[in-house]
Amino acid sequence: MTDSPSPSRRRLLQAGGAFGLATAAGSLLAPRAVAAAGAAPSTVVTDLGPGLVQFSLMSGLLVGDTVYIGSRNLTPSSVVGFHLPSRKVVSSTHLGAGPEPSVQALAADPTGRYLYIGVLVKADQGRPNLYRWDLKTPDKPAVAIGRTEDRDIRDLAVAPDGTVFAVGGVPGKAPVLWEYDPATGVVTDRGAPDPKATLARAVAATDTTVFFGAGSVLAGGSGASRASLFAFDRQTRTFTSIVPKEMEKDPSLRELAVVDGHLIVGTSGGVDPAKVAVMDLEDLSSYTVVATEGKVVKTFAADEERFYFASETGVHAYSKANRTISPVQFTGPDLGEIWGVDHVDGKLAVVSGYGFVAEIDVSARTSVVTDLHDAGAKAGPQAGMGIAAGRGYVYLGGNGAVSRRDLKSGEVVNLRAPGEAKDAEVIDGVLYTGQYNAQGIWRYSPSARRQPQQAASFPSEQNRPLDTSWDPDNGLLLVGVQSDTEGGGALWTYSPKTGKSASYVNPIDDIQLVRAVANRDGVAYLGGDNASKEGPRATVVAVDPVTGKEQWRLDPQQTAGVAALAVQGRNLYGLTTKGGLFVVDRRTRKVVHSADVSSVSKGFAAMVTNRGAVYGVSDTTLFRFHPKTFAVSTVVADINGAWYSGPHVNAHGGLLYTLRGSSLVAVDDRPSR
């Protein structure tokens, strides 16, 4: 495969991103003492331009002849209207949502006049998260109409009488069924039917009943519930569990739809594949459950003969007559992560996370693909994910894409990769990424002239890679992993030379995920964290990555989980999510230093070794630890990188690469010693 055929996507030469535009540290940082030898320490920050620019999306819904598409991880968040007959973006609206906003929930009222929009954000700032857009006057912006106390809205449904129902969640709280009454403008809490659920992602409604689907696709394990499905009686305001017993072991309910007298149900799979259920609305105890071969079932549509749904492998059809599932076959590109499926006049309108709409003729098995950026959707800089540099390129991960920046020419190419590149390494000029969700390890070689390809797959429940580290002694890529649904995590290993991979499940324990991984002298060091409020965290385990065998472990007596690890000389540095620093002598296996560095780092962080010192980056600051005294110094204050799921920093050729705001920067730091 070649790079994206659209010139605007293939060559994004960023304004103001020329490599030669460097900013001296004197204008950014407080003055520093001159080195004893007389040479002044210096820090030069080079702005390389916006990191990853694209139109990224997270939802799609057909209303009339227009597909409305919600943005993902773009500021400001927006919804655009893609007109199917003309294949053009004909309308758009911006939303005043919070940080790193995404629009996952769209629903239309029965008249087709109003589009309801639900937003999820990374931090709650008390803003509205429920909006309404009058599609009769699309030139006027959507209006904020309310707020659910669950920070994120993951799904919306409108009952035939126009009442709106919303579900979602907020960390540490059971998800609630929320009701919005258009007549009064009031948002009402209708209760949390599953106190052990961590997230609700599905809702559907009739005149009499609301169906609420939840589970623990995030923060699973530690007693969290599995797939749950409740019927809420709108008159008595009571909940009744109706989850099919065949679905009870799945991690979460993923999708619900009311179609032709039936409730259609889809789950997210974990150890077992995801499932589809077709339930009779007149008798919910009468149903059919069919297992799929995939990990997720979402975005339902229907014609007279079939129900359609999306999985991570494409679009599938459930035969109403035979009660069997088969893939929808067509000539066309990989659809990637699918966020919308609708049926009209024998065609499926499929909204791809790669930023295009595919119109699939079901009978002819053909397709027409329209790139949304080319059709008029406005691209913007995304909050970044993993970052890596090597052989003249810097790579930055995002949603459904990895940007590749040529450090000589400034050319930027957006490569397609499903899901999210959470972290990455360049090994002998080849990029390797840890791909969420449950995508394993992906590989990209600039010389191969094709898009990234999967290099290794792993059990689907080990779904969230968090940190990567290259082990040159054993020739292994090491990946620390979290299991969202089961709790705990894993250490993945992959040999670029042989192509062999291995997964060591729960190398710390069955509660702690592997938040951080570092290595030296053929030993892998794993840092533990815990997605739940209770239980152990911050355990450090030394492992032989070839065999997975534990060599030793240490409890550094921290009050928060490990955010990052790095090795310099004989010392292993650890940083916690509350800004605690601890240093372990790898030979004596004892903590030799600890300090509070929360002035520069709180929350997630990353560390890397460069020029004989350990550097770290937080949401606010790029900093450095003295290799002998371990004292922390600010390198770039107020760096405020726009990161989607925790900051990252990578070192290559003596330079540090990270984000300052939404711009990629190269930092040349030369401290005094």
Side-chain angles (χ1 to χ4, degrees):
M1 298 175 68
T2 61
D3 293 332
S4 171
S6 164
S8 59
R9 291 168 63 92
R10 185 170 63 246
R11 301 179 66 90
L12 295 174
L13 299 180
Q14 314 291 5
F19 187 77
L21 298 179
T23 304
S27 63
L28 296 172
L29 308 175
R32 302 183 183 211
V34 177
S42 66
T43 303
V44 176
V45 180
T46 303
D47 190 327
L48 305 179
L52 174 57
V53 177
Q54 64 173 340
F55 177 74
S56 184
L57 57 90
M58 204 176 187
S59 54
L61 178 70
L62 180 67
V63 183
D65 59 3
T66 301
V67 181
Y68 291 92
I69 299 167
S71 70
R72 182 177 195 178
N73 189 14
L74 294 175
T75 302
S77 55
S78 65
V79 177
V80 302
F82 175 75
H83 187 238
L84 281 174
S86 66
R87 299 191 175 114
K88 296 292 184 181
V89 172
V90 296
S91 59
S92 66
T93 187
H94 291 126
L95 312 172
E100 300 173 32
S102 297
V103 178
Q104 187 172 3
L106 297 173
D109 80 330
T111 69
R113 175 174 180 175
Y114 293 113
L115 181 70
Y116 290 93
I117 304 165
V119 180
L120 59 94
V121 294
K122 285 295 179 180
D124 194 347
Q125 297 179 340
R127 302 185 193 181
N129 58 4
L130 181 61
Y131 295 78
R132 184 172 64 193
W133 193 13
D134 189 337
L135 301 182
K136 286 191 174 181
T137 55
D139 55 318
K140 296 181 179 180
V143 177
I145 57 173
R147 163 185 166 80
T148 68
E149 296 305 317
D150 286 351
R151 181 190 70 195
D152 298 334
I153 295 179
R154 297 280 179 170
D155 198 17
L156 291 168
V158 186
D161 63 1
T163 305
V164 182
F165 296 92
V167 297
V170 62
K173 177 185 173 184
V176 167
L177 174 64
W178 298 94
E179 178 182 313
Y180 170 77
D181 184 346
T184 64
V186 175
V187 176
T188 303
D189 178 343
R190 291 304 184 196
D194 188 348
K196 294 185 178 181
T198 64
L199 190 68
R201 292 195 294 172
V203 64
T206 69
D207 274 326
T208 62
T209 309
V210 183
F211 300 99
F212 174 99
S216 299
V217 69
L218 299 175
S222 300
S225 71
R226 311 294 288 185
S228 59
L229 175 60
F230 291 85
F232 175 75
D233 188 305
R234 296 182 60 186
Q235 184 175 5
T236 64
R237 297 179 182 175
T238 57
F239 289 95
T240 303
S241 176
I242 60 168
V243 61
K245 63 179 185 299
E246 296 89 345
M247 292 179 157
E248 289 176 344
K249 292 183 179 180
D250 289 353
S252 179
L253 253 291
R254 180 60 182 87
E255 194 75 42
L256 293 169
V258 173
V259 183
D260 298 334
H262 293 88
L263 177 67
I264 316 301
V265 184
T267 66
S268 290
V271 177
D272 297 324
K275 300 174 183 67
V276 175
V278 180
M279 307 178 72
D280 188 336
L281 283 176
E282 296 298 324
D283 179 8
L284 292 169
S285 66
S286 175
Y287 60 80
T288 299
V289 174
V290 180
T292 72
E293 296 182 355
K295 304 165 189 173
V296 66
V297 170
K298 62 179 183 178
T299 56
F300 292 120
D303 61 18
E304 292 183 357
E305 300 177 356
R306 294 166 290 264
F307 297 121
Y308 298 94
F309 66 90
S311 78
E312 76 283 358
T313 60
V315 181
H316 303 264
Y318 171 92
S319 170
K320 296 178 183 179
N322 300 328
R323 301 180 181 180
T324 57
I325 293 173
S326 59
V328 174
Q329 298 180 348
F330 68 99
T331 56
D334 169 33
L335 297 173
E337 190 173 18
I338 297 170
W339 288 104
V341 177
D342 285 286
H343 180 271
V344 58
D345 298 331
K347 295 181 180 180
L348 296 176
V350 180
V351 178
S352 167
Y354 288 148
F356 63 76
V357 173
E359 298 167 67
I360 300 173
D361 188 313
V362 178
S363 298
R365 297 187 176 186
T366 58
S367 67
V368 176
V369 173
T370 305
D371 183 284
L372 287 165
H373 185 221
D374 291 344
K378 185 178 180 180
Q382 274 202 328
M385 298 187 200
I387 190 170
R391 295 283 179 91
Y393 296 105
V394 181
Y395 301 88
L396 181 67
N399 299 110
V402 176
S403 73
R404 186 198 72 187
R405 181 180 302 269
D406 188 315
L407 290 174
K408 290 185 178 179
S409 68
E411 180 192 45
V412 177
V413 175
N414 283 355
L415 309 167
R416 286 179 176 172
E420 303 169 0
K422 291 297 189 183
D423 201 9
E425 302 288 337
V426 174
I427 304 168
D428 294 331
V430 178
L431 176 72
Y432 294 88
T433 69
Q435 290 289 126
Y436 170 86
N437 181 357
Q439 293 288 337
I441 294 171
W442 282 60
R443 178 184 187 274
Y444 168 74
S445 174
S447 62
R449 296 185 178 275
R450 65 177 184 175
Q451 296 286 350
Q453 304 289 317
Q454 188 179 57
S457 61
F458 299 91
S460 61
E461 66 271 20
Q462 298 296 333
N463 66 308
R464 185 183 292 270
L466 294 172
D467 195 21
T468 61
S469 180
W470 168 240
D471 174 3
D473 295 281
N474 293 306
L476 294 173
L477 175 67
L478 311 178
V479 185
V481 182
Q482 174 180 356
S483 173
D484 284 336
T485 62
E486 311 301 314
L491 170 66
W492 294 345
T493 67
Y494 174 76
S495 169
K497 182 177 181 180
T498 67
K500 294 182 178 180
S501 61
S503 177
Y504 303 104
V505 178
N506 295 335
I508 301 176
D509 55 45
D510 61 0
I511 296 175
Q512 292 185 76
L513 56 100
V514 183
R515 175 74 66 190
V517 57
N519 77 89
R520 186 63 58 89
D521 303 325
V523 178
Y525 300 98
L526 313 180
D529 194 9
N530 186 337
S532 63
K533 292 182 177 180
E534 299 179 353
R537 60 201 73 225
T539 302
V540 175
V541 178
V543 173
D544 180 344
V546 176
T547 65
K549 185 177 180 180
E550 179 181 321
Q551 296 187 350
W552 55 267
R553 66 173 51 215
L554 174 70
D555 181 357
Q557 300 296 310
Q558 297 293 315
T559 60
V562 172
L565 293 174
V567 177
Q568 168 57 29
R570 64 188 290 173
N571 294 315
L572 173 68
Y573 292 66
L575 190 62
T576 76
T577 56
K578 287 187 178 179
L581 169 69
F582 61 92
V583 181
V584 178
D585 187 311
R586 297 187 296 119
R587 299 177 188 176
T588 65
R589 303 173 186 176
K590 294 181 179 180
V591 176
V592 296
H593 179 81
S594 60
D596 180 357
V597 296
S598 59
S599 61
V600 296
S601 181
K602 290 182 180 179
F604 295 142
M607 293 195 296
V608 67
T609 302
N610 187 53
R611 291 177 175 169
V614 171
Y615 288 79
V617 67
S618 68
D619 288 333
T620 62
T621 310
L622 181 67
F623 51 93
R624 170 191 355 98
F625 296 107
H626 193 282
K628 293 182 179 179
T629 68
F630 311 122
V632 64
S633 299
T634 295
V635 177
V636 181
D638 300 322
I639 200 164
N640 300 333
W643 296 102
Y644 184 75
S645 50
H648 289 269
V649 60
N650 194 259
H652 178 69
L655 299 180
L656 300 168
Y657 293 92
T658 189
L659 290 177
R660 181 174 62 185
S662 59
S663 290
L664 187 67
V665 293
V667 181
D668 185 356
D669 182 53
R670 299 179 182 274
S672 60
R673 285 288 189 265

